[in-house]
Amino acid sequence: MALSFSTSRFPASPQQSSCRLLTTLKLSPANFINYRRTAIYSLSTTTLSPVTDVDNREILRDEDRQPSFSNVPSSPSQDNQLSYHIITMGCQMNQADSERMAGQLEAQGYRLAPSVDECSLLILNTCSIRDRAEQKVYGALGRQKVRKYQDPDFRIVVSGCVAQQEGNALLRRVPEVDLVMGPQHVGRLTELLEQVELGSQVCALEPIYIMEDITKPRRDSSVSAWVNIIYGCNEGCTYCVVPGTRGKEQSRLPDAIRKEMLALGEAGYKEVTLLGQNIDAYGRDLGLLDNDSSSRQRWTLADLLLYVHDVPGIERIRFVTSHPKYFTEKLIKTCKELPKVCEYFNIPFQSGDNDILKEMKRGYTREKYLNMIQMIRHYMPDASISADAIVGFPGETEEQFCNTLSLMEEVKFDAVNTAAYSPRPRTPAALWDNQVADLVKEDRLHRINRLVSDHALERSQRYLGRVENILVEAKNPRPGKEDQVMGRTGGNKVTFFKGGPELIGSFVNVKITDVTSASLRGERV
């Protein structure tokens, strides 16, 4: 195997070039794969451990290598070659992570490419909560890896939960990938890309303390913004990969959260959604109050809402996702007292059967969950409540499944995200020998979805004839509806009505004239 160096691609000086890939590889696909396998970095919390390249020469350490492209101005011709495209899969946390990565890239001179085929850097920000989502990742990689042999400068990055879960196994399966990066390393994207540009294949999975990201996210909306307040999860649910893919809980400091919200308010944003995998556990790692005999937490989610509520410009505050184990009456009362906090709660129940909840290690009972719903409806009768549910968990009987349906009948949710249980790698439930047959899971999923739709339509009926204050977010994206805009109620119901793009970002009173299980329609008043 031989390497052919193109001398014109070496930067003559730090001022003349960014450190793009310095070599042109003239390799067969098989040799290309073997070459990439020999230059993998092992990342820890603070250092890069050098390994050897194909010529058994030590890869440069941080202090020895040339200036990074993040600190060196690029020529216009090179800037034109720096383009990115991000494909985001999964939850709101992934959407927020994608915005952070886009902000870092644009700060380094990258431009957003309109399509996958036009980018020089492709990022797949992945979700592994279901097996089907994981297979979508490998399907997308299969379509893109051929470009590596046609264009040596094309970069492929896999981030998110599949990256953390699969790690080096992903590189072995798809060695054309340049960078595999777990969710905790999102703030280090440009730093890790520097190592790729020095010719390395990088796998960044080690747990780290998540530092404040000083770059500004590239927000997908000019009206509503995501703000992470807590990363990771300390729960041990037997079906869930999140603790293994997103790490332990790390709460951001309240001052950093408030500072980000102040900047959003100054930039014209009207709504903020506070994000956390387990958001009402916020503050558990921030210590206790000083000189307080009660040993109360220094910060809780309720305390944070009080602290950020007066941020100028921000008119609506939401938060997701709550865990029933930590949801408190104090939090409900705080939400009722603060006018900017929306009357909307997302609280997964997962199952309505106590034995299944115990097997899931959820930490609450059916009775505790229903009591919590009663408290919400006592203090905030019109609040919208959504949830998540899993059917076909290992060992689930027909009677236990019916307990889930009966819980839903008692609550009547505004929306429920449902899924058939999917065994996930390195989770306890995946190894149990009492797995439910796929046909049974499919039948139960069909039945629960029918009930979800019925209840959602019933809950939508209460809006008929009411005047709702709608925050307009965008034009109606549906073909033939160009004369309409869309927005949301405080209860998170999507609403469509006639109007032009000049309304985006404003609050409009709309009389609701028609409803479906998923949305509302109305007219301006």
Side-chain angles (χ1 to χ4, degrees):
M1 176 174 64
L3 293 177
S4 174
F5 290 89
S6 173
T7 56
S8 62
R9 303 196 64 182
F10 282 88
S13 70
Q15 289 71 33
Q16 291 175 338
S17 174
S18 63
C19 292
R20 298 291 291 161
L21 184 65
L22 304 183
T23 62
T24 301
L25 302 178
K26 294 185 178 180
L27 306 173
S28 68
N31 283 339
F32 173 79
I33 291 170
N34 290 332
Y35 168 74
R36 294 306 305 275
R37 282 176 174 165
T38 60
I40 302 177
Y41 268 89
S42 171
L43 278 92
S44 65
T45 57
T46 57
T47 62
L48 287 166
S49 304
V51 294
T52 57
D53 65 10
V54 291
D55 293 320
N56 294 318
R57 292 174 299 190
E58 191 179 65
I59 294 175
L60 294 176
R61 294 181 175 85
D62 283 353
E63 62 269 23
D64 299 325
R65 57 186 167 83
Q66 300 181 48
S68 70
F69 69 85
S70 60
N71 298 319
V72 179
S74 301
S75 67
S77 62
Q78 289 166 326
D79 281 345
N80 290 336
Q81 297 172 1
L82 298 173
S83 60
Y84 74 94
H85 191 87
I86 302 177
I87 298 176
T88 306
M89 308 170 184
C91 66
Q92 299 99 326
M93 297 289 288
N94 275 18
Q95 295 177 46
D97 286 347
S98 290
E99 290 182 349
R100 291 171 62 201
M101 288 189 287
Q104 293 175 66
L105 292 172
E106 295 196 358
Q108 305 303 326
Y110 282 77
R111 60 178 177 81
L112 175 63
S115 70
V116 172
D117 295 333
E118 299 174 71
C119 67
S120 62
L121 170 66
L122 173 63
I123 300 176
L124 299 179
N125 191 11
T126 61
C127 170
S128 65
I129 199 70
R130 301 282 177 261
D131 179 66
R132 184 175 299 175
E134 182 180 322
Q135 295 310 312
K136 284 174 63 178
V137 176
Y138 283 109
L141 289 173
R143 290 187 292 273
Q144 294 300 319
K145 63 183 184 180
V146 177
R147 289 180 63 187
K148 293 293 294 185
Y149 308 120
Q150 300 169 345
D151 180 6
D153 290 336
F154 178 53
R155 302 284 175 262
I156 301 176
V157 175
V158 181
S159 66
C161 293
V162 170
Q164 184 71 36
Q165 173 188 294
E166 297 291 287
N168 285 318
L170 189 150
L171 293 177
R172 288 192 294 270
R173 184 170 171 178
V174 190
E176 294 82 3
V177 170
D178 297 281
L179 167 61
V180 172
M181 178 180 73
Q184 295 181 75
H185 293 267
V186 162
R188 303 179 64 201
L189 174 61
T190 53
E191 173 191 343
L192 298 175
L193 284 174
E194 291 172 14
Q195 306 306 317
V196 171
E197 298 309 322
L198 288 171
S200 301
Q201 189 178 41
V202 181
C203 189
L205 307 175
E206 294 297 321
I208 63 171
Y209 180 78
I210 300 174
M211 305 296 290
E212 283 296 322
D213 188 354
I214 62 173
T215 59
K216 292 183 179 180
R218 183 191 185 278
R219 307 283 182 179
D220 290 335
S221 168
S222 60
V223 179
S224 303
W226 312 106
V227 174
N228 288 96
I229 70 166
I230 181 172
Y231 301 101
C233 179
N234 286 357
E235 304 307 309
C237 301
T238 55
Y239 57 84
C240 186
V241 298
V242 168
T245 58
R246 288 194 171 268
K248 297 295 184 182
E249 287 175 7
Q250 294 184 42
S251 300
R252 291 180 66 194
L253 294 174
D255 286 346
I257 297 167
R258 182 179 172 86
K259 182 178 179 181
E260 183 174 352
M261 290 180 62
L262 284 167
L264 289 168
E266 291 176 1
Y269 285 85
K270 300 294 175 56
E271 179 182 274
V272 160
T273 300
L274 306 179
L275 289 181
Q277 212 73 45
N278 184 11
I279 199 163
D280 40 8
Y282 175 80
R284 292 198 300 176
D285 55 333
L286 296 182
L288 304 175
L289 285 173
D290 296 330
N291 302 318
D292 189 334
S293 58
S294 67
S295 297
R296 190 177 77 82
Q297 273 183 229
R298 184 182 301 274
W299 287 95
T300 66
L301 178 58
D303 296 322
L304 181 68
L305 291 173
L306 288 164
Y307 183 58
V308 302
H309 185 264
D310 64 346
V311 168
I314 302 300
E315 300 298 329
R316 281 183 177 175
I317 301 173
R318 306 182 191 273
F319 58 89
V320 291
T321 294
S322 298
H323 194 300
K325 186 176 175 181
Y326 304 103
F327 205 88
T328 64
E329 185 174 11
K330 176 187 175 182
L331 177 59
I332 300 170
K333 288 181 177 180
T334 301
C335 293
K336 174 181 172 59
E337 294 165 0
L338 298 177
K340 290 185 181 181
V341 177
C342 294
E343 293 190 334
Y344 171 72
F345 301 96
N346 177 248
I347 317 172
F349 63 92
Q350 305 300 9
S351 174
D353 183 84
N354 282 338
D355 288 337
I356 294 295
L357 289 172
K358 185 177 180 180
E359 291 296 310
M360 289 179 167
K361 291 192 175 180
R362 290 291 288 169
Y364 56 87
T365 62
R366 171 194 178 102
E367 291 73 25
K368 180 178 179 179
Y369 186 90
L370 289 173
N371 181 63
M372 178 189 61
I373 298 297
Q374 289 173 1
M375 278 196 297
I376 292 174
R377 292 199 164 146
H378 170 72
Y379 289 108
M380 306 170 73
D382 198 45
S384 296
I385 303 173
S386 66
D388 297 352
I390 296 172
V391 301
F393 185 77
E396 184 188 63
T397 65
E398 176 66 17
E399 181 181 358
Q400 290 170 327
F401 169 67
C402 288
N403 286 339
T404 292
L405 299 183
S406 68
L407 181 146
M408 293 172 60
E409 290 284 7
E410 287 193 52
V411 176
K412 294 189 176 178
F413 293 95
D414 291 82
V416 180
N417 298 312
T418 63
Y421 170 75
S422 176
R424 307 310 301 129
R426 295 182 290 280
T427 59
L431 303 177
W432 297 347
D433 58 8
N434 56 347
Q435 303 294 321
V436 176
D438 288 344
L439 286 177
V440 174
K441 288 192 284 190
E442 290 173 12
D443 174 67
R444 291 176 183 174
L445 187 61
H446 176 74
R447 288 156 64 190
I448 195 174
N449 283 341
R450 188 167 57 223
L451 190 61
V452 168
S453 181
D454 290 345
H455 288 167
L457 180 59
E458 182 179 340
R459 291 289 292 165
S460 291
Q461 298 290 333
R462 75 188 192 275
Y463 289 101
L464 275 174
R466 283 175 24 177
V467 175
E468 289 290 318
N469 195 226
I470 307 299
L471 175 57
V472 182
E473 298 177 8
K475 295 189 294 183
N476 188 337
R478 297 176 182 174
K481 303 292 184 180
E482 291 79 8
D483 61 340
Q484 293 185 0
V485 291
M486 60 169 287
R488 294 177 190 269
T489 67
N492 206 40
K493 248 340 183 183
V494 175
T495 305
F496 301 95
F497 63 95
K498 284 190 175 181
E502 71 279 359
L503 295 177
I504 294 174
S506 60
F507 288 91
V508 178
N509 287 326
V510 176
K511 184 176 182 180
I512 306 304
T513 58
D514 188 28
V515 303
T516 69
S517 60
S519 64
L520 313 175
R521 287 166 180 76
E523 54 192 27
R524 295 174 63 183
V525 296

